[in-house]
Amino acid sequence: MGTPLGTSRAEVVFSDGIPKLQAQSVGEAKLKVWDRRVVELPLEPPGKGGEDRFQLQFRIDNQRQLWLRGIDLVRNEPITEQMLGKLE
């Protein structure tokens, strides 16, 4: 995971005398990769193809940190909330 680097452009075009903002492509987005460890969600018991395993929720706090929490649907147990990284 990472934070997209701010590389976008726009121009003002007039349509029927009304100014409109038109986005311009700047090519492939660059990414600043987070240096945090990878979050692992253990599968005990092992998962099965076609079976929903997790219900995940993401939130961003007022310090711009991305958090993950959820439920293991097979075991009906909560997944401990974990901080994934800080948005820049």
Side-chain angles (χ1 to χ4, degrees):
M1 295 188 76
T3 302
L5 297 174
T7 53
S8 63
R9 284 186 286 209
E11 68 177 328
V12 176
V13 289
F14 288 85
S15 177
D16 297 324
I18 299 172
K20 294 183 180 181
L21 198 59
Q22 181 175 343
Q24 291 182 326
S25 174
V26 293
E28 188 173 326
K30 295 184 192 255
L31 185 70
K32 179 180 177 186
V33 178
W34 292 343
D35 59 358
R36 292 188 45 89
R37 65 173 173 73
V38 174
V39 173
E40 295 181 5
L41 300 176
L43 293 176
E44 278 301 324
K48 299 175 187 167
E51 176 182 67
D52 289 338
R53 184 57 191 256
F54 299 112
Q55 177 182 6
L56 301 176
Q57 297 175 331
F58 297 88
R59 72 176 179 89
I60 300 171
D61 66 16
N62 50 1
Q63 280 92 38
R64 298 187 330 252
Q65 297 176 114
L66 178 63
W67 292 84
L68 164 72
R69 69 176 175 185
I71 299 172
D72 183 325
L73 298 172
V74 171
R75 297 171 63 182
N76 197 30
E77 293 180 359
I79 296 168
T80 304
E81 188 170 41
Q82 302 178 53
M83 200 262 286
L84 301 179
K86 185 170 183 174
L87 305 174
E88 296 184 25

